[in-house]
Every structure is written in structure tokens, then in C-alpha cells.
Amino acid sequence: MMLGGGSRASAPPGAASDTDREAAITRLYREQWAGMVRLSLLMLGDRPSAEDAVQESFAAMYRRWDSIKDGTRVEAYLRSAVLNTSRSVLRRRKLALLHRGQPEPAVWSAESAAMIGEDRREVLAALATLPARRREVLVMRFYLHLSDADIAQTLGISEVSVRSTASRALKSLGHKLKEDR
């Protein structure tokens, strides 16, 4: 299933039985796990942290399932949860780096590094230097192929803000990539 559209949770979750909740979460997990890990990986830079963030997001969604009123927004809720959890990981890392003193670069797996070309590594490195909101918009647009409406829903901003943020982010990314050459 594509992340930006397609099927949604079968029914609005509110007041679902435990069996219904487990079936819906299991279905969502099967459909969305890989895409959510990609989203978190692009935000965090390492697969184990990304998988942990996604697992934590699914666990939080399971605990709060009955409070989700609109079943058509479950995927957007999950994307938001993954982004928020990834942001929390980044904040904890930043705090740890302040106490450690020497920043460490993002750790990409050897397998990933071998598979992607130099140009793609440059783009990912430049992407990592962007402010969080700009990076999030570009990741969701170009790596997850979400529409502006889905991005806006996930981030809780207007579609106009999505487009202007993407424009500024692409301009910054272009300047950064030109500087590196």
C-alpha cells in the first residue's frame, strides 16, 4: 500500500473491542511499518533508532486507540506520532552531545552506504543540515511521496505553509549542495 493514500483503518476506532483494536493495529502495522521506518530513518540517520521510534509510536497508538475519533485520520496520526517520537530522539541526542562536547555524524548502515551513490549521500548529508520542519516537509514529499494535503495534516499546518516551506527548503538545499562542490 502507498503511504499517501489507499486504505484506511476499517472503522473509526473509538470504543472498539480489544479484538477489533488488535486486528486494526495489526493491519496498520503490516501496511505501514516499512514506510514509517523509512520516515524515521531519514530523520534520525540510523535504523535501530528509527525502528525503536516506530515501535514506540505503534505502542502509543495502541494505548490511545479508543481516543482516536476519526478512523480516516489513523495514518496521519501515526505519521505524526513517528515524527514526534523522532523529534524527541533528536532532542535527547542534542542534549547528550552538549554534555559530551564532540558531535558525532549520523550513522548510516554499511549496507546503505554501499548501495547509494555519492550524489545521494551528499543530498542526504545536506538534508540533515536543514532545520527540522524543512527537512520533514522534504522527506514526506520526496521520499514518502505524500501530497501537500497529507503533509499538512501530519504536521498540523496549512497546505500553503507546506508549499512555502518546501520552496525555502529546496532553495537552501540547492545552495548547500553548490557550496559542497
Side-chain angles (χ1 to χ4, degrees):
M1 183 188 117
M2 294 294 292
L3 266 177
S7 71
R8 302 277 189 226
S10 58
S17 73
D18 285 343
T19 305
D20 293 341
R21 174 194 336 215
E22 289 175 18
I25 292 284
T26 300
R27 184 172 43 258
L28 187 65
Y29 185 89
R30 286 184 184 133
E31 293 173 353
Q32 299 296 322
W33 172 259
M36 292 299 117
V37 169
R38 278 192 304 272
L39 169 62
S40 187
L41 176 61
L42 287 163
M43 298 303 298
L44 298 175
D46 72 288
R47 188 168 186 90
S49 295
E51 289 176 350
D52 288 346
V54 172
Q55 189 66 31
E56 188 176 324
S57 299
F58 270 101
M61 178 176 259
Y62 181 83
R63 288 189 302 273
R64 295 184 188 101
W65 189 255
D66 290 338
S67 66
I68 301 172
K69 304 287 186 239
D70 185 356
T72 63
R73 292 192 44 138
V74 171
E75 288 177 27
Y77 179 90
L78 179 60
R79 278 192 303 269
S80 294
V82 169
L83 280 173
N84 288 336
T85 304
S86 297
R87 288 176 187 142
S88 293
V89 169
L90 291 172
R91 279 191 298 272
R92 287 190 300 267
R93 283 182 183 171
K94 188 174 184 178
L95 184 61
L97 288 175
L98 288 174
H99 293 292
R100 193 178 304 162
Q102 190 121 16
E104 294 178 19
V107 179
W108 300 95
S109 73
E111 184 177 289
S112 295
M115 292 180 68
I116 59 178
E118 183 62 32
D119 288 342
R120 186 160 179 198
R121 280 192 293 270
E122 287 177 17
V123 170
L124 290 173
L127 185 65
T129 67
L130 293 177
R133 176 60 54 93
R134 290 181 183 183
R135 184 173 60 245
E136 292 164 0
V137 167
L138 290 184
V139 165
M140 285 190 274
R141 179 181 275 180
F142 295 108
Y143 288 92
L144 296 180
H145 307 290
L146 295 179
S147 68
D148 289 347
D150 286 338
I151 296 168
Q153 186 179 30
T154 299
L155 296 176
I157 59 176
S158 70
E159 288 183 50
V160 172
S161 293
V162 169
R163 287 189 290 275
S164 64
T165 300
S167 176
R168 286 191 300 272
L170 288 171
K171 186 175 181 180
S172 296
L173 200 58
H175 288 302
K176 177 68 177 159
L177 291 171
K178 284 180 185 175
E179 287 174 9
D180 291 344
R181 294 206 182 252

